[in-house]
Amino acid sequence: MSQAKESSRKRRGAGRVTLADVARTAEVSAISVSRFFNQPEQVSPPLRARIEAAVQALGYVPNLVAGGLASARGRIVGMVIPNISGPIFAQTIQAFSDTLSRHGYQLLLASSYFSEAQEESAVRAFLGWSPAALVVTSHFHSPATEKMLAEADVPVVEIWDYCPERAPLQVGFLHHQVGVQACRYLLEKGHRRIAFVQNSAAGDLSALERRDGYIETLREAGLEPWVFVPSADCAPFEAGRQAMEALIRRTPRPQAIIFANDNLAAGALLAGQRAGLRLPHDLAIMGFGDYPFAEMLLPSLTTLRPPSREIGELAALRVLQHLGSVGLEGEVQRLNLLQCELIARESA
Amino acid sequence: MSQAKESSRKRRGAGRVTLADVARTAEVSAISVSRFFNQPEQVSPPLRARIEAAVQALGYVPNLVAGGLASARGRIVGMVIPNISGPIFAQTIQAFSDTLSRHGYQLLLASSYFSEAQEESAVRAFLGWSPAALVVTSHFHSPATEKMLAEADVPVVEIWDYCPERAPLQVGFLHHQVGVQACRYLLEKGHRRIAFVQNSAAGDLSALERRDGYIETLREAGLEPWVFVPSADCAPFEAGRQAMEALIRRTPRPQAIIFANDNLAAGALLAGQRAGLRLPHDLAIMGFGDYPFAEMLLPSLTTLRPPSREIGELAALRVLQHLGSVGLEGEVQRLNLLQCELIARESA
DNA sequence: TTGTAAGCGTTATCAC
DNA sequence: GTGATAACGCTTACAA
């Protein structure tokens, strides 16, 4: 309490209880208090008790900013994700954040909306906090971002996509393979006229890889790909409706449609029903993402479930291993390939 | 480049380009470079150009940790939210983060899962980063959290709930009023036996306020409240199913049910259909949240839409005004009451 | 408008 | 096991 008066005359950080205050109260040196927090086992029980008491009495909260500056490694991890409120990434963020915070690390979050420019500015800002690690989504970055990531002395994890030839840690799955999976599933069901509807969000490049998997698989089966591109940047639900209405007007009509994600598929589902189609009898529909509503639709939506939660958990684990916060033998595993699961429901 | 060698012998922060490096290259003083970033208008064009060039040439990224320590106010804002992946809060987070980052502030995020202990540890960790502001959800905190928030010299915003008698900035709505709104709507539709199903997540205290609004309104109408409590902490979708199956077995059966949120309502909707009920003819159903799937259900779900995005935006705006980053005349508005919107669809 | 000097609160280094 | 001292990279206060 008496410290308050003393420090209140200072220009900045007025009134804040510092390590020095604790040290004075506990009658030990500042460095011992520092050790009490960072390597408690190196402090003898008697000192530990005195420090503990002083910390309690003063309500001391360590200043992580100062610690970060002194040690050049803040207990903070930056993550840039296309969007926070989408159901897929939200689970990844949640799992990542929870795993980190269990080990005393905090999450610095920003969204890029699939824009390389926004990603770049987020990465730049994050680097200023000298983060313990940095997580970015997919492997599409601006040259400046690439440069910063390469030169910064910070472990980088790329999630969502899996791209073994790249330098950063990879935790993700093969989007190309997802397109193959979906297409094969429909081929096995006997469909021949299979269309693919792209995402309306222009920057979603991973979705294009799924499309390419579809194209390749169809060609291998001796069939002609049929890609529909919705109006750029219209709302996904709306884009799905638009695509559905356009495609069922064609003659012959497709037997099955793969949508770039579940939002598009849901819009299409409702549009199809409104048009009097009996699904999946008249037309099979597949999505991607296994959004929470997928099982609530009628017919329920056949889709591919990305390992969202697993990606978040595993990315956090690898980061923590890299930082030595979680024990391991040998090197941190750089390549982490996960799988999407095909969820067969009623719509296809 | 020659700096690299010089600094590489240093213990920490090896190789990092610093303000001093830029100053040396631009042949100005360090403080001018600092001003270049923080008050560019105070630096003359010629100097500005030289500094600009040096920054580019060296690829300088300001060290925000050092800046934060020196100025005792980091450009970082902490937010504690019950959960990140729920559709409601996700929109709040997204809007909050976007508005902040547009003004150069970063978001430090943690989830509490409605646990006061987890909230407390998150707040403690955040305070260590000397954040520019702190955002917490609702007004239910542990005493220790209250103490930290009160003593920390940081603007605090409480979102989601609206509680004018509390000291922190309030941005939210009246949950009690939501219960009233839902109940009145059903009463006006002519229903008399109206039940309420609580949330299965035990810590969701705001949901209990909505329940109390329902109880009060029903009593005022001379009717008896009928509250169903699902098994603690079972998955919400499942809890809705459970509640529905139990309630439709009663004689007489309720004419309408209000659910604590849309997840519960969706589970109930499917259970009702499976049981052969024609909704809403046999039974009216209302949810809360207007989750994305609400309009995709059959029948589509009548629900109340909380101002999720608006809360995030407004909270960010008030924070920025408080920090002087956004201009305003007079004081920052402390009380910000928003409204839920009743979305009348097919289910009630 | 520009510069100098003195911290901000912690941890690394090295000595005891 | 414990402590004195010097950074860490920046901004505030004050001076020119």
Side-chain angles (χ1 to χ4, degrees), chain A residues 12 64 70 84 94 98 113 128, chain B residues 12 64 70 84 94 98 113 128:
Chain A
R12 6 185 204 192
L64 301 174
I84 298 169
Q94 179 92 61
D98 290 349
Y113 292 103
Chain B
R12 7 185 203 190
L64 301 174
I84 298 169
Q94 178 93 59
D98 289 349
Y113 293 102

Side-chain angles (χ1 to χ4, degrees), chain B residues 166-177:
Chain B
R166 290 181 52 81
L169 246 84
Q170 303 283 315
V171 182
F173 58 94
L174 291 165
H175 287 258
H176 187 274
Q177 182 60 25

Side-chain angles (χ1 to χ4, degrees), chain A residues 12-14 16 59-72 74-76 82-87 90-91 93-95 97-98 101 106-111 113 118 121-130 147-148 151 153 237 263 266-267 270 273 292-293 295-298 309, chain B residues 11-14 16 58-72 74-76 82-87 90-91 93-95 97-98 101 106-111 113 118 121-122 124-130 147-148 153 237 263 266-267 270 273 292-293 295-298 309:
Chain A
R12 6 185 204 192
R16 174 154 204 163
Y60 170 67
V61 177
N63 185 333
L64 301 174
V65 180
L69 178 59
S71 66
R75 292 174 80 81
I76 212 172
N83 72 77
I84 298 169
S85 59
Q91 290 214 20
I93 300 169
Q94 179 92 61
S97 157
D98 290 349
S101 65
Q106 301 309 131
L107 174 66
L108 207 48
L109 189 67
S111 50
Y113 292 103
Q118 289 203 43
S121 89
V123 166
R124 179 169 293 115
F126 285 178
L127 283 177
W129 286 102
S130 62
K147 189 156 175 290
M148 286 191 288
E151 293 180 356
D153 191 23
F237 192 76
N263 275 332
L270 265 71
Q273 287 168 328
F293 59 74
E295 60 170 333
M296 301 181 196
L297 299 175
L298 280 176
R309 175 162 292 279
Chain B
R11 305 167 302 163
R12 7 185 203 190
R16 174 155 203 161
L58 272 57
Y60 170 67
V61 177
N63 185 334
L64 301 174
V65 180
L69 178 59
S71 67
R75 293 174 80 82
I76 209 171
N83 72 76
I84 298 169
S85 58
Q91 290 212 22
I93 301 170
Q94 178 93 59
S97 156
D98 289 349
S101 65
Q106 301 307 132
L107 174 67
L108 207 47
L109 189 67
S111 51
Y113 293 102
Q118 289 202 44
S121 89
R124 179 169 292 115
F126 285 177
L127 283 177
W129 286 101
S130 64
K147 189 157 177 288
M148 285 191 288
D153 189 25
F237 192 76
N263 274 332
L270 266 70
Q273 287 168 327
F293 58 73
E295 60 170 332
M296 301 182 195
L297 299 175
L298 281 175
R309 174 162 293 279

Side-chain angles (χ1 to χ4, degrees), chain B residues 52-246:
Chain B
E52 170 90 67
V55 166
Q56 289 294 335
L58 272 57
Y60 170 67
V61 177
N63 185 334
L64 301 174
V65 180
L69 178 59
S71 67
R73 50 173 184 81
R75 293 174 80 82
I76 209 171
V77 177
M79 184 178 220
V80 189
I81 217 109
N83 72 76
I84 298 169
S85 58
I88 302 186
F89 295 125
Q91 290 212 22
T92 303
I93 301 170
Q94 178 93 59
F96 187 74
S97 156
D98 289 349
T99 308
L100 280 188
S101 65
R102 229 173 283 130
H103 291 262
Y105 286 81
Q106 301 307 132
L107 174 67
L108 207 47
L109 189 67
S111 51
S112 68
Y113 293 102
F114 295 112
S115 146
E116 293 189 351
Q118 289 202 44
E119 183 188 57
E120 183 179 321
S121 89
V123 167
R124 179 169 292 115
F126 285 177
L127 283 177
W129 286 101
S130 64
L134 226 42
V135 177
V136 295
T137 309
S138 87
H139 57 274
F140 305 103
H141 314 297
S142 72
T145 306
E146 292 279 10
K147 189 157 177 288
M148 285 191 288
L149 293 179
E151 293 180 357
D153 189 25
V154 165
V156 175
V157 184
E158 285 181 345
I159 59 165
W160 193 236
D161 283 8
Y162 176 84
C163 213
E165 62 274 23
R166 290 181 52 81
L169 246 84
Q170 303 283 315
V171 182
F173 58 94
L174 291 165
H175 287 258
H176 187 274
Q177 182 60 25
V178 168
V180 173
Q181 260 179 286
C183 197
R184 283 207 186 130
Y185 177 79
L186 293 173
L187 286 170
E188 278 165 20
K189 288 259 175 178
H191 300 297
R192 286 298 167 264
R193 294 191 304 281
I194 303 173
F196 185 98
V197 175
Q198 285 190 191
N199 191 0
S200 46
D204 186 359
L205 303 180
S206 303
L208 299 184
E209 301 192 339
R210 301 198 287 275
R211 177 202 59 191
D212 293 343
Y214 147 86
I215 292 178
E216 195 179 297
T217 309
L218 219 51
R219 289 235 168 91
E220 279 172 9
L223 298 168
E224 202 50 39
W226 183 355
V227 174
F228 182 90
V229 183
S231 316
D233 288 316
C234 96
F237 192 76
E238 195 51 30
R241 190 188 57 70
Q242 183 194 108
M244 188 68 163
E245 288 173 356

Side-chain angles (χ1 to χ4, degrees), chain A residues 257-310:
Chain A
I257 311 181
I258 302 171
F259 289 85
N261 65 49
D262 283 359
N263 275 332
L264 295 163
L269 215 64
L270 265 71
Q273 287 168 328
R274 223 172 290 132
L277 262 60
R278 290 174 309 155
L279 307 176
H281 180 266
D282 295 336
L283 177 57
I285 285 188
M286 281 190 76
F288 168 78
D290 193 29
Y291 296 172
F293 59 74
E295 60 170 333
M296 301 181 196
L297 299 175
L298 280 176
S300 59
L301 187 61
T302 294
T303 189
L304 282 125
R305 195 191 74 79
S308 303
R309 175 162 292 279
E310 293 85 337

